[in-house]
Amino acid sequence: MVSLISFYGFRGLKLSRGEGQYVWDSKGKRYLDAHTGHGAAFLGHKPPRVVQALKEQLDAIMVTTPSFMNESMEKCLSVLGKVLPSKLTNVYFQNSGTEAVELALKLAFKATGRREVIAFKGSFHGRTLGSLSVTWNPKYRQGFPVFQMRFGDFNSLEAVDLVDESVAAVIVEPVQGESGVKPSTAEFLRELRRACNEHGAALIFDEVQSGFGRTGRIWAHQSRGVEPDIMTAGKSIGGGFPVSFVAARDWVVEGLRGAEHGSTHGGNPLACAALYGGVETLLEDDVPSRSAKMGAKLMEALKAVESKLVREVRGEGLMIGVELRVDVGPILKDLQSRGLLALRAGRTVLRLLPPYLITEEDVETVAREVEGALLDEQSRRGADQAT
Ligand SMILES: Cc1ncc(COP(=O)(O)O)c(C=O)c1O
């Protein structure tokens, strides 16, 4: 028997089926899914337009090498024009978020001829060596030969002064996910834009987690009125199918030559079909508006939860963090037994990343179960103190 290397703590659950905002375990128990595979099933499980596009593509062709065009990619490029920021007219497809970040960094190095990158404390950009180098948490970096990058304080205008003529790129999440769901301020992003313009550096927005409607706009940075030079997207864009991309301005890609990057599966016809179905869903269901509306309701319901264990509820759209005064581990376990899947962001933040499909009833369920799990935790603590 071959066993899986356990990089992630096992949650003790085997999932067998998913539909919309729900998943079922192998024993048939239903869960409301606010974990969504680290955010990847934001369009819900088995989004119908994605499933249809994939079925049609399976019957047509599953593989073409990147040297050939395929109809699926053509369709994809044409619909992406409807959702990408106006100046980001050059796209390359990858398979995962970390690969998109790798390519974003490579593009910035090539375009500027420089080597320095500024990232921010609390950042998470992936686990391959380039993206790991711009990821803050030592827990992920220790023991690996990462490149030395400089980290500024997130949302600090003083950190903007780190940008100078040696800097190839500044990389930032418009809403930090992994470090506890922390929205950037418009002023911070605007100042980064100004400094990058002044010093000829590329501004990279990593929208792998915050993008594609989750925060109430198609891209989280759009509510800050700032456009990047390079943007990365992944997770939910293919309705759960593995696909990511990098989008860039003309000046970033002008000097590129063949062989400077590539990917066997990047732009695979199935992945492009999934992305095509994902963009159709985003536009036809007006996912960002729905996310803004349901996010506001969820935020309100969570803020009304009465518990001494809650420090703060924050977030944007359907990307919400409940910062606790205690370790979130036992609470996540309790929520799972109550039929609600969620995830952590750091030691003390309960992260909720539900699909845009959640209803008002689901919102009530989330708030009720979170309140119940917090009460349970308080009684456990009370019992520990009494013994
Ligand atoms: C902002 C951000 N960038 C990059 C990544 C890496 O994506 P992947 O796990 O698909 O490689 C993540 C994953 O959580 C992320 O949140």
Side-chain angles (χ1 to χ4, degrees):
M1 175 77 174
V2 173
S3 53
L4 184 69
I5 302 172
S6 57
F7 287 128
Y8 289 89
F10 179 52
R11 302 271 295 245
L13 204 63
K14 189 154 91 182
L15 296 179
S16 304
R17 196 161 70 82
E19 184 89 48
Q21 63 271 49
Y22 305 109
V23 291
W24 285 260
D25 69 16
S26 50
K27 296 185 181 122
K29 179 173 170 182
R30 192 183 85 163
Y31 300 81
L32 177 57
D33 190 8
H35 182 297
T36 51
H38 294 102
F42 170 60
L43 299 182
H45 291 272
K46 290 200 287 167
R49 294 178 190 83
V50 174
V51 172
Q52 183 61 27
L54 279 169
K55 280 184 175 162
E56 284 170 17
Q57 195 57 45
L58 273 170
D59 283 339
I61 185 166
M62 281 169 64
V63 177
T64 62
T65 87
S67 310
F68 301 108
M69 181 45 84
N70 63 72
E71 281 167 19
S72 177
M73 188 187 285
E74 260 174 4
K75 263 166 119 178
C76 211
L77 289 169
S78 95
V79 291
L80 275 178
K82 296 183 191 170
V83 296
L84 282 176
S86 61
K87 296 191 181 74
L88 304 189
T89 50
N90 308 277
V91 167
Y92 197 78
F93 299 105
Q94 300 280 262
N95 314 285
S96 62
T98 196
E99 285 171 279
V101 171
E102 294 286 337
L103 176 55
L105 295 173
K106 284 177 76 176
L107 291 178
F109 292 140
K110 276 283 166 183
T112 61
R114 304 172 184 173
R115 284 290 167 270
E116 291 276 335
V117 177
I118 307 294
F120 296 94
K121 293 178 186 169
S123 62
F124 185 88
H125 298 291
R127 298 162 191 273
T128 50
L129 290 176
S131 53
L132 190 61
S133 303
V134 286
T135 287
W136 166 250
N137 195 332
K139 167 174 98 173
Y140 301 121
R141 298 161 58 90
Q142 253 159 24
F144 299 113
V146 291
F147 304 103
Q148 283 316 310
M149 304 294 187
R150 283 185 284 163
F151 290 91
D153 288 323
F154 185 66
N155 273 342
S156 149
L157 298 186
E158 276 166 32
V160 175
D161 294 339
L162 291 172
V163 186
D164 60 24
E165 307 292 316
S166 69
V167 172
V170 172
I171 182 164
V172 63
E173 293 155 84
V175 181
Q176 283 193 337
E178 184 71 20
S179 74
V181 190
K182 294 179 183 154
S184 62
T185 64
E187 195 185 13
F188 179 55
L189 295 195
R190 269 203 299 273
E191 279 302 296
L192 288 177
R193 177 70 277 172
R194 184 197 52 72
C196 285
N197 289 347
E198 193 179 319
H199 297 289
L203 181 60
I204 304 173
F205 287 163
D206 181 351
E207 292 263 16
V208 166
Q209 187 165 157
S210 56
F212 221 61
R214 182 166 285 284
T215 64
R217 302 294 288 257
I218 297 183
W219 309 107
H221 71 262
Q222 288 172 321
S223 61
R224 277 89 171 158
V226 183
E227 271 203 22
D229 298 297
I230 307 175
M231 186 183 82
T232 55
K235 285 200 191 281
S236 63
I237 62 173
F241 195 91
V243 54
S244 66
F245 66 77
V246 174
R249 294 193 194 211
D250 289 341
W251 76 267
V252 176
V253 300
E254 259 154 21
L256 288 177
R257 290 188 313 274
E260 285 179 339
H261 197 70
S263 167
T264 299
H265 287 303
N268 167 279
L270 287 174
C272 284
L275 178 47
Y276 170 73
V279 175
E280 273 196 328
T281 309
L282 182 84
L283 296 176
E284 287 170 22
D285 284 2
D286 197 2
V287 170
S289 306
R290 174 106 192 166
S291 202
K293 185 173 149 214
M294 296 315 290
K297 286 182 193 283
L298 184 54
M299 185 81 86
E300 193 187 344
L302 287 165
K303 282 188 171 163
V305 165
E306 287 188 14
S307 171
K308 283 191 285 193
L309 299 184
V310 175
R311 211 186 276 277
E312 190 189 14
V313 183
R314 57 172 178 262
E316 219 168 285
L318 287 170
M319 186 169 176
I320 295 181
V322 181
E323 172 136 26
L324 303 174
R325 296 180 203 281
V326 293
D327 189 307
V328 73
I331 293 154
L332 282 174
K333 228 169 143 186
D334 193 345
L335 286 174
Q336 186 168 307
S337 69
R338 292 165 167 273
L340 173 63
L341 300 185
L343 65 166
R344 62 162 72 238
R347 198 179 70 83
T348 55
V349 177
L350 169 66
R351 186 169 25 157
L352 297 156
L353 297 175
Y356 79 100
L357 296 165
I358 57 162
T359 61
E360 300 202 7
E361 201 185 324
D362 295 327
V363 165
E364 279 168 28
T365 305
V366 173
R368 187 180 62 243
E369 299 309 345
V370 167
E371 186 157 302
L374 290 172
L375 266 174
D376 286 351
E377 176 65 11
Q378 251 171 279
S379 341
R380 278 193 296 271
R381 291 179 164 258
D384 281 353
Q385 272 164 16
T387 50

